[in-house]
Amino acid sequence: MPHVVVKLWPGRNDEIKTSLAKKIANVVVEELKVDIDDVSVAFEEVSRSDWGEQVYKKEIRDNENVYLRPNYEYK
């Protein structure tokens, strides 16, 4: 606890993902006052063509748990 999942379009290499995962983990540690060994970060790649249906409509649009919303919309 906690586990952070980042969904993004394909195309970033492992070096970029590892760097971002470490940065996310450090912010989680600082803000939630947890031990770094308790934090995990995963990446799930979703194709651009599937993003609207699989991510935006299912996980973002009507989800009251989303605290930071994007400035785009899929209909």
Side-chain angles (χ1 to χ4, degrees):
M1 166 4 227
H3 176 64
V4 178
V5 177
V6 178
K7 295 192 179 194
L8 70 167
W9 292 340
R12 277 62 172 213
N13 63 37
D14 287 343
E15 183 179 335
I16 291 170
K17 291 177 189 175
T18 299
S19 175
L20 180 57
K22 288 177 182 177
K23 290 174 183 176
I24 291 169
N26 285 327
V27 170
V28 168
V29 166
E30 182 179 322
E31 293 295 323
L32 300 182
K33 309 296 187 232
V34 297
D35 190 284
I36 191 73
D37 291 332
D38 295 333
V39 179
S40 56
V41 179
F43 290 89
E44 293 180 14
E45 294 186 343
V46 178
S47 70
R48 185 181 297 236
S49 61
D50 291 334
W51 188 266
E53 289 297 322
Q54 290 185 12
V55 179
Y56 184 80
K57 290 180 180 178
K58 289 183 179 180
E59 298 186 35
I60 297 172
R61 183 178 59 193
D62 298 324
N63 186 343
E64 64 187 37
N65 294 316
V66 175
Y67 282 81
L68 180 62
R69 296 192 174 278
N71 192 25
Y72 63 82
E73 187 174 319
Y74 283 88
K75 303 203 189 242

Coordinates of all heavy atoms in Angstrom, one line a residue:
M1 N 0.9 -1.2 0.0 CA 0.0 0.0 0.0 C 0.9 1.2 0.0 O 1.8 1.3 0.8 CB -0.9 -0.1 1.2 CG -1.7 1.0 1.8 SD -1.9 2.6 1.2 CE -1.6 3.5 2.6
P2 N 0.7 2.2 -0.8 CA -0.2 2.3 -1.9 C 0.4 1.8 -3.2 O 1.6 1.6 -3.4 CB -0.5 3.8 -2.0 CG 0.8 4.4 -1.4 CD 1.3 3.4 -0.4
H3 N -0.5 1.5 -4.1 CA -0.2 1.1 -5.5 C -0.7 2.1 -6.5 O -1.9 2.4 -6.5 CB -0.8 -0.3 -5.8 CG -0.6 -0.8 -7.1 ND1 0.7 -1.1 -7.6 CD2 -1.4 -1.1 -8.2 CE1 0.6 -1.5 -8.9 NE2 -0.7 -1.5 -9.2
V4 N 0.1 2.6 -7.3 CA -0.3 3.6 -8.3 C -0.2 3.0 -9.7 O 0.8 2.4 -10.1 CB 0.7 4.8 -8.3 CG1 0.3 5.9 -9.3 CG2 0.7 5.4 -6.9
V5 N -1.2 3.2 -10.5 CA -1.3 2.7 -11.9 C -1.3 3.9 -12.8 O -2.2 4.8 -12.7 CB -2.5 1.8 -12.1 CG1 -2.5 1.4 -13.6 CG2 -2.5 0.6 -11.2
V6 N -0.4 4.0 -13.7 CA -0.4 5.0 -14.7 C -0.8 4.4 -16.1 O -0.1 3.5 -16.5 CB 1.1 5.6 -14.8 CG1 1.1 6.7 -15.9 CG2 1.5 6.2 -13.5
K7 N -1.8 4.9 -16.7 CA -2.2 4.5 -18.0 C -1.8 5.5 -19.0 O -1.9 6.7 -18.8 CB -3.7 4.3 -18.0 CG -4.1 3.2 -17.1 CD -5.5 2.7 -17.3 CE -5.8 1.6 -16.3 NZ -7.0 0.9 -16.6
L8 N -1.2 5.1 -20.1 CA -0.7 6.0 -21.1 C -0.6 5.3 -22.4 O -0.7 4.1 -22.5 CB 0.7 6.4 -20.7 CG 1.9 5.4 -20.7 CD1 3.2 6.2 -20.6 CD2 1.8 4.4 -19.6
W9 N -0.4 6.1 -23.4 CA -0.3 5.6 -24.8 C 1.1 4.9 -24.9 O 2.0 5.3 -24.2 CB -0.3 6.7 -25.8 CG -1.7 7.3 -26.0 CD1 -2.9 6.8 -25.6 CD2 -2.0 8.6 -26.5 NE1 -3.9 7.7 -25.9 CE2 -3.4 8.8 -26.5 CE3 -1.2 9.6 -27.1 CZ2 -4.0 9.9 -27.0 CZ3 -1.8 10.7 -27.6 CH2 -3.2 10.9 -27.5
P10 N 1.2 3.9 -25.7 CA 2.5 3.2 -25.9 C 3.5 4.1 -26.5 O 3.2 5.1 -27.1 CB 2.1 2.1 -26.9 CG 0.7 1.9 -26.8 CD 0.1 3.2 -26.5
G11 N 4.8 3.8 -26.2 CA 5.9 4.5 -26.9 C 7.0 4.9 -26.0 O 8.0 5.4 -26.4
R12 N 6.8 4.9 -24.6 CA 7.8 5.3 -23.7 C 8.7 4.0 -23.4 O 8.2 3.0 -23.2 CB 7.3 5.8 -22.4 CG 6.9 7.3 -22.4 CD 5.8 7.5 -23.4 NE 5.3 8.9 -23.3 CZ 4.0 9.2 -23.6 NH1 3.2 8.2 -23.9 NH2 3.6 10.4 -23.5
N13 N 10.0 4.2 -23.3 CA 10.9 3.1 -23.1 C 11.0 2.8 -21.6 O 10.5 3.6 -20.7 CB 12.3 3.3 -23.7 CG 13.0 4.5 -23.1 OD1 12.9 4.8 -21.9 ND2 13.7 5.2 -23.9
D14 N 11.6 1.7 -21.2 CA 11.7 1.3 -19.8 C 12.5 2.3 -19.0 O 12.2 2.5 -17.8 CB 12.4 0.0 -19.7 CG 11.5 -1.2 -20.1 OD1 10.3 -0.9 -20.2 OD2 12.0 -2.3 -20.4
E15 N 13.5 3.0 -19.5 CA 14.2 4.0 -18.8 C 13.3 5.2 -18.4 O 13.4 5.6 -17.2 CB 15.4 4.5 -19.7 CG 16.3 5.5 -19.0 CD 17.4 6.0 -19.9 OE1 17.8 5.3 -20.8 OE2 17.9 7.1 -19.6
I16 N 12.5 5.6 -19.3 CA 11.6 6.7 -18.9 C 10.6 6.3 -17.9 O 10.3 7.0 -16.9 CB 10.9 7.2 -20.2 CG1 11.9 8.0 -21.1 CG2 9.7 8.1 -19.9 CD1 11.3 8.3 -22.5
K17 N 10.0 5.1 -18.0 CA 9.0 4.6 -17.1 C 9.6 4.4 -15.7 O 9.0 4.7 -14.7 CB 8.4 3.2 -17.6 CG 7.6 3.4 -18.8 CD 7.1 2.0 -19.3 CE 6.4 2.1 -20.6 NZ 6.0 0.8 -21.1
T18 N 10.9 3.8 -15.7 CA 11.5 3.6 -14.4 C 11.8 5.0 -13.7 O 11.6 5.1 -12.5 CB 12.9 2.9 -14.6 OG1 12.6 1.6 -15.1 CG2 13.6 2.7 -13.3
S19 N 12.2 6.0 -14.4 CA 12.5 7.3 -13.9 C 11.2 7.9 -13.3 O 11.2 8.4 -12.2 CB 13.1 8.2 -15.0 OG 13.2 9.5 -14.5
L20 N 10.1 7.8 -14.1 CA 8.9 8.4 -13.7 C 8.3 7.6 -12.4 O 7.8 8.2 -11.5 CB 7.8 8.4 -14.8 CG 6.5 8.9 -14.5 CD1 6.5 10.3 -13.9 CD2 5.5 8.8 -15.7
A21 N 8.4 6.3 -12.4 CA 8.0 5.5 -11.3 C 8.7 5.9 -10.0 O 8.1 6.0 -9.0 CB 8.2 4.0 -11.6
K22 N 10.0 6.1 -10.1 CA 10.7 6.6 -8.9 C 10.3 7.9 -8.4 O 10.1 8.2 -7.2 CB 12.2 6.6 -9.2 CG 12.8 5.2 -9.3 CD 14.3 5.3 -9.7 CE 14.9 3.8 -9.9 NZ 16.3 3.9 -10.3
K23 N 10.0 8.8 -9.3 CA 9.5 10.2 -9.0 C 8.2 10.1 -8.3 O 7.9 10.8 -7.3 CB 9.5 11.1 -10.2 CG 10.9 11.4 -10.7 CD 10.9 12.2 -12.0 CE 12.3 12.5 -12.4 NZ 12.4 13.2 -13.7
I24 N 7.3 9.3 -8.9 CA 5.9 9.1 -8.4 C 6.0 8.5 -7.0 O 5.4 9.0 -6.0 CB 5.1 8.3 -9.3 CG1 4.7 9.0 -10.6 CG2 3.8 7.8 -8.6 CD1 4.1 8.2 -11.7
A25 N 6.8 7.5 -6.8 CA 7.0 6.8 -5.5 C 7.5 7.8 -4.5 O 7.0 7.8 -3.3 CB 7.9 5.6 -5.7
N26 N 8.4 8.6 -4.8 CA 9.0 9.6 -3.9 C 7.9 10.6 -3.4 O 7.9 11.0 -2.3 CB 10.2 10.3 -4.4 CG 11.4 9.4 -4.4 OD1 11.6 8.6 -3.5 ND2 12.3 9.5 -5.4
V27 N 7.1 11.1 -4.3 CA 6.0 12.0 -4.0 C 5.0 11.3 -3.1 O 4.5 11.9 -2.1 CB 5.3 12.6 -5.2 CG1 4.1 13.3 -4.9 CG2 6.3 13.5 -6.0
V28 N 4.7 10.1 -3.4 CA 3.8 9.3 -2.5 C 4.3 9.2 -1.1 O 3.6 9.4 -0.1 CB 3.5 7.9 -3.2 CG1 2.7 7.0 -2.2 CG2 2.7 8.1 -4.5
V29 N 5.6 8.8 -1.0 CA 6.2 8.7 0.3 C 6.1 10.0 1.1 O 5.7 10.0 2.2 CB 7.7 8.3 0.1 CG1 8.5 8.5 1.4 CG2 7.8 6.8 -0.3
E30 N 6.4 11.1 0.4 CA 6.4 12.4 1.1 C 5.0 12.8 1.5 O 4.8 13.3 2.6 CB 7.0 13.4 0.1 CG 7.1 14.8 0.7 CD 7.7 15.8 -0.3 OE1 8.6 15.5 -1.0 OE2 7.2 17.0 -0.3
E31 N 4.1 12.7 0.6 CA 2.7 13.2 0.9 C 1.9 12.3 1.8 O 1.2 12.7 2.6 CB 1.9 13.3 -0.4 CG 2.5 14.5 -1.3 CD 2.3 15.8 -0.7 OE1 1.3 16.1 0.0 OE2 3.2 16.7 -0.9
L32 N 2.1 11.0 1.7 CA 1.3 10.0 2.5 C 2.0 9.5 3.7 O 1.5 8.8 4.5 CB 0.9 8.8 1.6 CG 0.0 9.2 0.4 CD1 -0.4 7.9 -0.3 CD2 -1.2 10.0 0.9
K33 N 3.3 9.9 3.9 CA 4.1 9.5 5.0 C 4.1 8.0 5.2 O 3.8 7.4 6.2 CB 3.6 10.1 6.3 CG 3.4 11.6 6.3 CD 4.6 12.4 6.1 CE 4.4 13.9 6.2 NZ 4.9 14.7 5.1
V34 N 4.5 7.3 4.1 CA 4.7 5.9 4.1 C 6.1 5.5 3.7 O 6.9 6.4 3.2 CB 3.7 5.2 3.1 CG1 2.2 5.4 3.4 CG2 3.9 5.7 1.6
D35 N 6.5 4.3 4.0 CA 7.8 3.8 3.7 C 7.9 3.5 2.2 O 7.0 2.9 1.6 CB 8.1 2.5 4.5 CG 9.5 2.1 4.4 OD1 9.9 1.6 3.4 OD2 10.3 2.4 5.4
I36 N 9.0 3.8 1.6 CA 9.2 3.6 0.1 C 9.1 2.1 -0.2 O 8.7 1.8 -1.3 CB 10.6 4.2 -0.3 CG1 10.7 4.2 -1.9 CG2 11.8 3.4 0.3 CD1 10.0 5.2 -2.6
D37 N 9.4 1.3 0.7 CA 9.3 -0.2 0.4 C 7.8 -0.6 0.3 O 7.5 -1.8 -0.1 CB 10.0 -1.0 1.5 CG 11.5 -0.8 1.4 OD1 12.0 -0.6 0.3 OD2 12.2 -0.9 2.4
D38 N 6.9 0.2 0.7 CA 5.5 -0.1 0.6 C 4.8 0.4 -0.6 O 3.6 0.2 -0.8 CB 4.7 0.4 1.9 CG 5.2 -0.2 3.2 OD1 5.7 -1.4 3.1 OD2 5.1 0.4 4.2
V39 N 5.5 1.1 -1.5 CA 4.9 1.8 -2.6 C 5.3 1.0 -3.9 O 6.4 0.5 -4.1 CB 5.5 3.2 -2.8 CG1 4.9 3.9 -4.1 CG2 5.2 4.0 -1.6
S40 N 4.3 0.8 -4.7 CA 4.5 0.2 -6.0 C 3.9 1.1 -7.1 O 2.9 1.7 -6.9 CB 3.9 -1.2 -6.1 OG 2.5 -1.2 -5.8
V41 N 4.5 1.0 -8.3 CA 4.0 1.8 -9.4 C 4.0 0.9 -10.7 O 5.0 0.3 -11.0 CB 4.9 3.1 -9.7 CG1 4.4 3.9 -10.9 CG2 5.0 3.9 -8.4
A42 N 2.9 0.9 -11.4 CA 2.7 0.1 -12.6 C 2.3 1.0 -13.7 O 1.7 2.1 -13.6 CB 1.7 -1.0 -12.4
F43 N 2.7 0.6 -14.9 CA 2.3 1.3 -16.2 C 1.4 0.3 -17.0 O 1.8 -0.9 -17.2 CB 3.5 1.7 -17.0 CG 4.3 2.8 -16.3 CD1 5.3 2.5 -15.4 CD2 3.9 4.1 -16.6 CE1 6.0 3.6 -14.8 CE2 4.6 5.2 -15.9 CZ 5.6 4.9 -15.0
E44 N 0.3 0.8 -17.5 CA -0.5 0.1 -18.4 C -0.6 0.9 -19.7 O -1.1 2.0 -19.7 CB -1.9 -0.2 -17.8 CG -1.9 -1.1 -16.6 CD -3.2 -1.3 -16.0 OE1 -4.3 -1.0 -16.7 OE2 -3.3 -1.8 -14.9
E45 N -0.2 0.3 -20.8 CA -0.2 1.0 -22.1 C -1.6 0.7 -22.8 O -2.0 -0.5 -22.8 CB 0.9 0.6 -23.0 CG 2.3 1.0 -22.4 CD 3.4 0.7 -23.4 OE1 3.3 -0.1 -24.3 OE2 4.5 1.4 -23.2
V46 N -2.2 1.7 -23.2 CA -3.5 1.6 -23.9 C -3.3 2.4 -25.2 O -2.9 3.5 -25.3 CB -4.6 2.2 -23.1 CG1 -6.0 2.1 -23.8 CG2 -4.7 1.5 -21.7
S47 N -3.7 1.7 -26.3 CA -3.5 2.4 -27.6 C -4.4 3.6 -27.7 O -5.4 3.8 -27.1 CB -3.9 1.4 -28.8 OG -5.3 1.2 -28.8
R48 N -3.9 4.5 -28.5 CA -4.6 5.8 -28.7 C -6.0 5.6 -29.2 O -7.0 6.2 -28.8 CB -3.8 6.6 -29.8 CG -4.4 8.0 -30.0 CD -3.6 8.8 -31.1 NE -2.2 9.0 -30.6 CZ -1.6 10.1 -30.6 NH1 -2.3 11.2 -30.9 NH2 -0.4 10.2 -30.2
S49 N -6.2 4.6 -30.1 CA -7.5 4.3 -30.6 C -8.5 3.7 -29.6 O -9.7 3.8 -29.8 CB -7.4 3.4 -31.8 OG -6.9 2.1 -31.5
D50 N -8.0 3.1 -28.5 CA -8.8 2.5 -27.5 C -9.0 3.4 -26.3 O -9.8 3.1 -25.4 CB -8.2 1.2 -27.0 CG -8.3 0.1 -28.1 OD1 -9.2 0.2 -29.0 OD2 -7.4 -0.8 -28.1
W51 N -8.2 4.5 -26.2 CA -8.2 5.3 -25.0 C -9.6 5.8 -24.6 O -10.0 5.8 -23.5 CB -7.3 6.5 -25.2 CG -7.1 7.3 -24.0 CD1 -7.8 8.4 -23.6 CD2 -6.1 7.0 -22.9 NE1 -7.3 8.8 -22.4 CE2 -6.3 8.0 -22.0 CE3 -5.2 6.0 -22.8 CZ2 -5.5 8.0 -20.8 CZ3 -4.4 6.1 -21.6 CH2 -4.6 7.0 -20.6
G52 N -10.4 6.3 -25.6 CA -11.7 6.9 -25.3 C -12.6 5.9 -24.6 O -13.2 6.2 -23.6
E53 N -12.7 4.7 -25.2 CA -13.6 3.7 -24.6 C -13.1 3.0 -23.4 O -13.8 2.9 -22.4 CB -13.9 2.6 -25.7 CG -14.8 3.1 -26.8 CD -16.2 3.5 -26.4 OE1 -16.7 2.8 -25.5 OE2 -16.7 4.5 -26.9
Q54 N -11.8 2.6 -23.4 CA -11.2 1.8 -22.3 C -10.8 2.6 -21.1 O -10.9 2.1 -20.0 CB -10.0 1.0 -22.8 CG -10.4 -0.1 -23.7 CD -9.2 -0.9 -24.1 OE1 -8.1 -0.8 -23.5 NE2 -9.3 -1.7 -25.1
V55 N -10.4 3.9 -21.3 CA -9.9 4.7 -20.2 C -10.9 5.8 -19.9 O -11.4 5.9 -18.8 CB -8.5 5.2 -20.4 CG1 -8.0 6.0 -19.2 CG2 -7.6 4.0 -20.6
Y56 N -11.0 6.7 -20.8 CA -11.8 8.0 -20.5 C -13.2 7.7 -20.1 O -13.7 8.1 -19.0 CB -11.8 8.9 -21.7 CG -12.5 10.2 -21.4 CD1 -11.8 11.2 -20.7 CD2 -13.8 10.4 -21.8 CE1 -12.5 12.4 -20.4 CE2 -14.5 11.6 -21.4 CZ -13.8 12.6 -20.7 OH -14.5 13.7 -20.4
K57 N -14.0 6.9 -20.9 CA -15.4 6.6 -20.6 C -15.6 5.7 -19.4 O -16.5 5.9 -18.6 CB -16.1 6.0 -21.8 CG -16.3 7.1 -22.9 CD -17.0 6.5 -24.1 CE -17.2 7.5 -25.2 NZ -17.8 6.9 -26.4
K58 N -14.7 4.8 -19.2 CA -14.8 3.8 -18.1 C -14.2 4.3 -16.7 O -14.7 4.0 -15.7 CB -14.2 2.5 -18.4 CG -15.0 1.7 -19.5 CD -14.3 0.4 -19.7 CE -15.1 -0.4 -20.8 NZ -14.5 -1.7 -21.0
E59 N -13.1 5.1 -16.8 CA -12.4 5.4 -15.6 C -12.3 6.9 -15.2 O -12.0 7.2 -14.1 CB -11.0 4.8 -15.7 CG -11.0 3.3 -15.8 CD -9.6 2.7 -15.8 OE1 -8.7 3.3 -15.1 OE2 -9.3 1.8 -16.5
I60 N -12.5 7.7 -16.2 CA -12.4 9.2 -15.9 C -13.7 9.9 -15.9 O -14.0 10.6 -14.9 CB -11.4 9.8 -17.0 CG1 -10.0 9.2 -16.9 CG2 -11.3 11.3 -16.8 CD1 -9.1 9.6 -18.0
R61 N -14.4 9.9 -16.9 CA -15.6 10.7 -17.2 C -16.5 10.9 -16.0 O -16.8 12.0 -15.5 CB -16.3 10.3 -18.4 CG -17.5 11.2 -18.7 CD -18.2 10.8 -20.0 NE -18.8 9.5 -19.9 CZ -19.2 8.8 -20.9 NH1 -19.2 9.3 -22.1 NH2 -19.7 7.6 -20.7
D62 N -17.0 9.8 -15.5 CA -18.0 9.8 -14.4 C -17.5 9.3 -13.1 O -18.3 9.0 -12.2 CB -19.3 9.0 -14.8 CG -20.0 9.6 -16.0 OD1 -20.0 10.8 -16.2 OD2 -20.4 8.8 -16.9
N63 N -16.2 9.3 -12.9 CA -15.6 8.7 -11.7 C -15.4 9.8 -10.7 O -14.5 10.7 -10.9 CB -14.3 8.0 -12.1 CG -13.7 7.3 -10.9 OD1 -14.0 7.5 -9.7 ND2 -12.7 6.4 -11.2
E64 N -16.1 9.8 -9.6 CA -16.0 10.8 -8.5 C -14.6 10.7 -7.8 O -14.3 11.6 -7.1 CB -17.1 10.7 -7.5 CG -17.1 9.4 -6.8 CD -18.4 9.2 -5.9 OE1 -19.5 9.6 -6.3 OE2 -18.2 8.6 -4.8
N65 N -13.9 9.6 -8.0 CA -12.6 9.5 -7.3 C -11.4 10.1 -8.1 O -10.3 10.1 -7.7 CB -12.3 8.0 -7.1 CG -13.2 7.4 -6.1 OD1 -13.6 8.0 -5.1 ND2 -13.7 6.2 -6.4
V66 N -11.7 10.7 -9.3 CA -10.7 11.3 -10.1 C -10.6 12.8 -9.5 O -11.5 13.6 -9.6 CB -11.0 11.4 -11.6 CG1 -10.0 12.2 -12.4 CG2 -11.1 9.9 -12.1
Y67 N -9.4 13.1 -9.0 CA -9.2 14.4 -8.3 C -8.6 15.4 -9.3 O -8.6 16.6 -9.0 CB -8.3 14.2 -7.1 CG -9.1 13.7 -5.9 CD1 -9.3 12.3 -5.8 CD2 -9.6 14.5 -5.0 CE1 -10.1 11.8 -4.7 CE2 -10.3 14.0 -3.9 CZ -10.6 12.7 -3.8 OH -11.3 12.2 -2.7
L68 N -8.0 15.0 -10.3 CA -7.4 15.9 -11.3 C -7.9 15.4 -12.7 O -7.6 14.3 -13.2 CB -5.9 15.9 -11.3 CG -5.2 16.8 -12.3 CD1 -5.5 18.3 -12.0 CD2 -3.7 16.6 -12.2
R69 N -8.7 16.2 -13.3 CA -9.4 15.9 -14.6 C -8.6 16.5 -15.7 O -8.1 17.6 -15.7 CB -10.8 16.3 -14.6 CG -11.6 15.6 -13.6 CD -13.1 15.8 -13.7 NE -13.8 15.0 -12.8 CZ -14.0 13.7 -12.9 NH1 -13.7 13.1 -14.0 NH2 -14.7 13.0 -12.0
P70 N -8.6 15.7 -16.9 CA -7.9 16.2 -18.1 C -8.7 17.3 -18.7 O -9.9 17.5 -18.4 CB -7.8 15.0 -19.0 CG -9.0 14.2 -18.6 CD -9.1 14.4 -17.1
N71 N -8.1 18.1 -19.6 CA -8.8 19.1 -20.3 C -9.1 18.7 -21.7 O -8.8 19.3 -22.7 CB -7.9 20.4 -20.3 CG -8.7 21.6 -20.8 OD1 -9.9 21.7 -20.7 ND2 -8.0 22.6 -21.4
Y72 N -9.7 17.5 -21.8 CA -10.2 17.0 -23.1 C -11.5 16.2 -22.8 O -11.8 15.9 -21.6 CB -9.2 16.1 -23.8 CG -8.7 14.9 -23.1 CD1 -9.5 13.7 -23.2 CD2 -7.6 14.8 -22.3 CE1 -9.2 12.6 -22.5 CE2 -7.2 13.7 -21.6 CZ -8.0 12.6 -21.7 OH -7.7 11.4 -21.0
E73 N -12.2 15.8 -23.8 CA -13.4 15.0 -23.7 C -13.6 14.1 -24.8 O -13.4 14.5 -26.0 CB -14.6 16.0 -23.6 CG -15.9 15.4 -23.2 CD -16.9 16.5 -23.0 OE1 -16.7 17.5 -22.4 OE2 -18.1 16.2 -23.5
Y74 N -14.0 12.9 -24.6 CA -14.4 11.9 -25.6 C -15.9 11.8 -25.5 O -16.5 11.7 -24.4 CB -13.8 10.5 -25.4 CG -12.4 10.4 -25.8 CD1 -11.4 10.8 -24.9 CD2 -12.0 10.0 -27.0 CE1 -10.0 10.7 -25.2 CE2 -10.7 9.9 -27.4 CZ -9.7 10.3 -26.5 OH -8.4 10.1 -26.8
K75 N -16.6 11.8 -26.6 CA -18.1 11.7 -26.6 C -18.5 10.3 -26.9 O -17.9 9.5 -27.4 CB -18.6 12.7 -27.6 CG -18.1 14.1 -27.3 CD -19.0 15.1 -27.9 CE -18.4 16.4 -27.7 NZ -18.8 17.4 -27.0

